[in-house]
């Protein structure tokens, strides 16, 4: 049943019509989602420079591991360049993943990313990854330090598998020593 809208609803519709709303204030920042592994700050800077001058790239990274979280914010010179880049990249297939991108309105831009987008930061993951790698090397080299639980469990599993193979070969009459 199609009833015509009432007068109050008609007035509300007229007041909120798209022509009466001010255009949204677009920022020169785009959101880039579903980023594949291997596409980091330097590669993004080089890739997006084909659209115009890139003012900053912020790739979201894990505080614990330093690995990419799969999304980034990219700042261009003007909102026009940002909208062209976002339209061109949205749905782009890269390394088997479909990228998503859109221009971020100024009011939706996260506060903590506003200052980070002023320049292209160095890869912050190096120090974090180096610290984790150093811990693992120290744990492996020092006989007094207990190995992490996962490494001990893995080592035990491998030793059991070798022992089972050794027993099986012994039963078959084959005398062979594994070096592990």
């Amino acid at each position: 049943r199609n009833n015509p809208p009432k007068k109050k609803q008609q007035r509300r519709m007229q007041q909120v019509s798209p022509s009466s709303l001010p255009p949204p204030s677009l920022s020169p920042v785009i959101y880039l989602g579903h980023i594949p592994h291997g596409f980091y700050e330097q590669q993004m800077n080089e890739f997006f420079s084909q659209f115009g001058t890139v003012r900053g790239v912020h790739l979201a990274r894990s505080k614990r591991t330093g690995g990419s979280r799969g999304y980034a914010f990219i700042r261009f010179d003007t909102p026009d360049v940002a909208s062209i880049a976002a339209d061109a990249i949205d749905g782009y297939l890269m390394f088997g993943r479909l990228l998503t991108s859109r221009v971020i309105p100024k009011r939706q831009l996260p506060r903590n990313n506003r200052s980070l987008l002023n320049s292209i930061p160095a890869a912050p993951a190096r120090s974090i990854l180096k610290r984790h790698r150093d811990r693992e090397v120290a744990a492996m080299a020092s006989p007094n330090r207990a190995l992490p639980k996962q490494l001990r469990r893995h080592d035990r599993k491998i030793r059991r598998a070798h022992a089972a193979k050794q027993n099986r070969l012994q039963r078959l009459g084959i005398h062979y020593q594994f070096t592990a």
Side-chain angles (χ1 to χ4, degrees):
R1 153 177 162 168
N2 275 339
N3 291 337
K6 296 179 183 173
K7 288 185 180 182
K8 280 186 180 179
Q9 288 176 338
Q10 284 178 345
R11 269 190 261 138
R12 270 192 231 135
M13 289 168 145
Q14 288 172 353
Q15 290 171 352
V16 186
S17 69
S19 60
S20 66
L21 290 175
S25 58
L26 293 179
S27 69
V29 178
I30 66 169
Y31 163 83
L32 185 65
H34 302 286
I35 298 172
H37 175 70
F39 192 53
Y40 300 122
E41 289 94 345
Q42 186 63 36
Q43 291 83 11
M44 283 184 211
N45 188 31
E46 292 171 6
F47 183 79
F48 283 99
S49 63
Q50 66 181 318
F51 297 104
T53 305
V54 176
R55 290 289 176 203
V57 176
H58 174 70
L59 177 65
R61 291 185 175 271
S62 167
K63 288 181 183 177
R64 188 174 56 84
T65 64
S68 170
R69 293 185 62 195
Y71 67 93
F73 295 96
I74 301 162
R75 181 184 292 271
F76 291 95
D77 267 344
T78 62
D80 296 334
V81 174
S83 66
I84 290 169
D87 291 342
I89 298 304
D90 193 34
Y92 190 82
L93 182 66
M94 180 180 285
F95 301 120
R97 300 192 69 178
L98 282 175
L99 298 177
T100 60
S101 65
R102 58 185 165 84
V103 178
I104 304 291
K106 286 182 182 177
R107 67 181 180 280
Q108 289 182 357
L109 189 62
R111 289 186 188 275
N112 59 350
N113 288 342
R114 289 181 185 164
S115 63
L116 293 172
L117 290 171
N118 292 331
S119 64
I120 299 168
R126 289 182 188 154
S127 62
I128 295 170
L129 294 177
K130 185 177 184 307
R131 185 170 54 227
H132 285 286
R133 188 175 55 244
D134 290 346
R135 283 182 195 159
E136 289 174 3
V137 168
M140 297 292 265
S142 173
N144 297 336
R145 286 180 75 166
L147 290 174
K149 195 175 189 177
Q150 290 177 335
L151 292 175
R152 285 195 308 256
R153 196 178 308 143
H154 180 69
D155 188 45
R156 197 177 320 126
K157 183 178 178 182
I158 289 174
R159 288 179 193 268
R160 282 184 194 150
H162 280 301
K165 287 178 187 175
Q166 191 78 36
N167 290 338
R168 203 174 310 133
L169 289 173
Q170 291 286 334
R171 279 185 265 139
L172 294 172
I174 301 170
H175 299 290
Y176 180 79
Q177 288 290 329
F178 289 109
T179 55

